[in-house]
């Protein structure tokens, strides 16, 4: 499969490299971050970003929501062991467990959307503030527009604070136009 599609793979990979290099030009290495979930898209984005910038020591942040599959946790641990130059941070709400909060206040819903703030965005903001301080950062995300209707409305590069959940970051999605 890879050999039969080599031309296409090289084309989309080179386009992603060019995008990564272009958006990273406005930032120092100390202002770059890779959002790493341990899924296929963030793994691909991590690989592209590290290779495009020739820098394995970019800060990686794994948001452990306490709902991660055991295999995901094992993969993330294996990734850390195999990539010793990576600056790897885990963002986790250590005070609460998702299922315990569900028992207390009920499950998250369209009306009551507490889970991301408590178990994803909040812990990631704390890690970002601790690692990067007050300045702006650029985060590379493994988001693709074909994943969902809501993601199809995103921009490949979000630089305006109204468009992103974490105000101090701009978000770049190198594989935004990729299909599965």
């Amino acid at each position: 499969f890879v050999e039969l599609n080599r031309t296409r793979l090289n084309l989309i990979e080179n386009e992603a490299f060019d995008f990564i290099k272009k958006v990273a030009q406005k930032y120092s290495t100390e202002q770059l971050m890779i959002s790493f979930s341990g899924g296929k898209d963030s793994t691909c984005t991590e690989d592209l970003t590290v290779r495009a910038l020739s820098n394995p020591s970019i800060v990686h942040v794994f948001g452990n929501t306490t709902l991660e599959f055991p295999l995901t946790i094992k993969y993330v641990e294996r990734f850390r062991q195999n990539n010793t130059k990576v600056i790897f941070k885990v963002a986790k709400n250590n005070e609460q467990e998702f299922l315990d909060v569900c028992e207390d206040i009920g499950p998250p819903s369209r009306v009551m959307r507490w889970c991301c703030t408590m178990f994803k965005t909040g812990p990631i903001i704390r890690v970002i503030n601790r690692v990067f301080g007050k300045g702006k950062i650029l985060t590379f995300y493994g988001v693709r527009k074909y994943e969902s209707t809501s993601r199809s409305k995103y921009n490949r590069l979000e630089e305006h604070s109204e468009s992103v959940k974490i105000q101090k970051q701009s978000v770049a999605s190198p594989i935004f136009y990729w299909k599965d």
Side-chain angles (χ1 to χ4, degrees):
F1 176 83
V2 172
E3 287 310 312
L4 290 174
N5 290 283
R6 176 66 55 206
T7 301
R8 171 78 178 143
L9 292 171
N10 287 340
L11 179 75
I12 63 174
E13 181 181 70
N14 288 333
E15 190 282 331
F17 285 160
D18 291 343
F19 173 77
I20 292 164
K21 290 174 188 175
K22 181 181 177 187
V23 298
Q25 284 179 342
K26 297 179 187 175
Y27 298 85
S28 71
T29 300
E30 293 78 24
Q31 294 173 291
L32 301 178
M33 180 180 117
I34 297 171
S35 180
F36 188 79
S37 71
K40 66 179 175 44
D41 294 336
S42 75
T43 298
C44 182
T45 297
E46 187 279 338
D47 177 67
L48 290 167
T49 303
V50 166
R51 288 191 297 133
L53 300 177
S54 300
N55 185 353
S57 63
I58 295 170
V59 173
H60 292 48
V61 176
F62 171 64
N64 185 341
T65 63
T66 73
L67 290 173
E68 309 308 321
F69 288 113
L71 285 175
T72 301
I73 298 295
K74 285 181 183 176
Y75 172 72
V76 169
E77 290 169 359
R78 193 170 67 246
F79 177 88
R80 289 178 78 174
Q81 291 169 354
N82 293 335
N83 295 277
T84 55
K85 292 183 180 179
V86 166
I87 299 168
F88 201 95
K89 303 292 180 183
V90 176
K92 181 179 177 186
N93 181 335
N94 292 315
E95 287 79 46
Q96 297 168 303
E97 292 287 323
F98 179 85
L99 294 176
D100 294 339
V101 178
C102 286
E103 284 185 29
D104 290 342
I105 64 174
S109 67
R110 272 188 315 124
V111 178
M112 204 158 109
R113 301 180 62 132
W114 54 263
C115 60
C116 277
T117 302
M118 288 179 74
F119 291 98
K120 194 170 191 178
T121 310
I124 289 172
I125 288 171
R126 286 191 290 279
V127 168
I128 288 173
N129 288 338
R130 198 168 52 245
V131 172
F132 296 100
K134 295 190 183 291
K136 274 292 257 180
I137 65 168
L138 174 64
T139 300
F140 291 97
Y141 273 6
V143 170
R144 294 177 300 105
K145 75 179 277 175
Y146 297 102
E147 289 179 86
S148 69
T149 303
S150 63
R151 289 190 174 185
S152 71
K153 297 173 184 147
Y154 291 6
N155 292 311
R156 190 180 194 192
L157 177 64
E158 294 285 1
E159 295 184 285
H160 304 290
S161 59
E162 312 85 51
S163 307
V164 293
K165 290 180 184 175
I166 300 173
Q167 300 296 301
K168 67 186 302 166
Q169 73 177 350
S170 293
V171 176
S173 302
I175 64 170
F176 188 69
Y177 297 112
W178 291 21
K179 298 184 179 170
D180 282 342

